[in-house]
Amino acid sequence: MSTSAPRPAAPSRPTGPSRPTGPTRPSPTAPVARAARQDPGEEATSPTITLRGLGLFVVILVAFIVLAPTLRHAVEQQEQLRQLNADIVAAEKRNSALELELEQWQDETFVQAQARDRLGYVMPGEQTFRVVDPETVLGEDAEAEPEQSGVPGMADAPWYLALWESVSMAGQAVPGEKPAPGD
């Protein structure tokens, strides 16, 4: 007999059921087991709102609440900036017009022309003529017949009687016809 060395013992493995190492197929009894747990009147539905979707909604809502006032203020400031730029452009235009006018007033001939037109000034030795009413042509016929204004025959009457007479004449007038001077 030969003496042989004792063999080392194999490592111990759990004695429980072993799991297969390859791909597994679902058990055909699993849907039946789930269906058996539900009430017969209920349908099998998955939840429409998941925890991940709810978390995303909360994050977006908080971001909107935080950013909305900031964006509103930014838009208001942009509008104020546009308005101020428009005001600056208008002020620059007005400033250039006033500077041009100031330059004109520095010219002595412009000042003399303005004094003649606005104030009626004349240079020494000049004679002025003023036309009172350029539409009226005065002649011999104009002096013979004085022009009547207002209501005929009411020149010396109080104003309220002349007013009443003109209203009554307007009510009696026929459109397109001139009233006679004695009416």
Side-chain angles (χ1 to χ4, degrees), residues 115-172:
R116 287 173 185 263
D117 290 343
R118 293 182 182 188
L119 303 174
Y121 286 1
V122 293
M123 296 298 284
E126 290 182 344
Q127 228 178 9
T128 60
F129 297 96
R130 184 175 297 255
V131 178
V132 178
D133 188 8
E135 298 294 321
T136 310
V137 177
L138 296 177
E140 294 175 10
D141 294 338
E143 291 177 7
E145 186 179 315
E147 185 178 324
Q148 293 182 357
S149 62
V151 180
M154 300 294 285
D156 295 333
W159 68 270
Y160 52 89
L161 290 177
L163 177 69
W164 182 253
E165 185 64 27
S166 71
V167 170
S168 64
M169 284 176 54
Q172 296 172 357

Side-chain angles (χ1 to χ4, degrees), residues 17 27 56 93 95 97 106 128 166 168:
S27 159
L56 181 63
K93 285 181 182 178
N95 189 23
Q106 299 300 323
T128 60
S166 71
S168 64

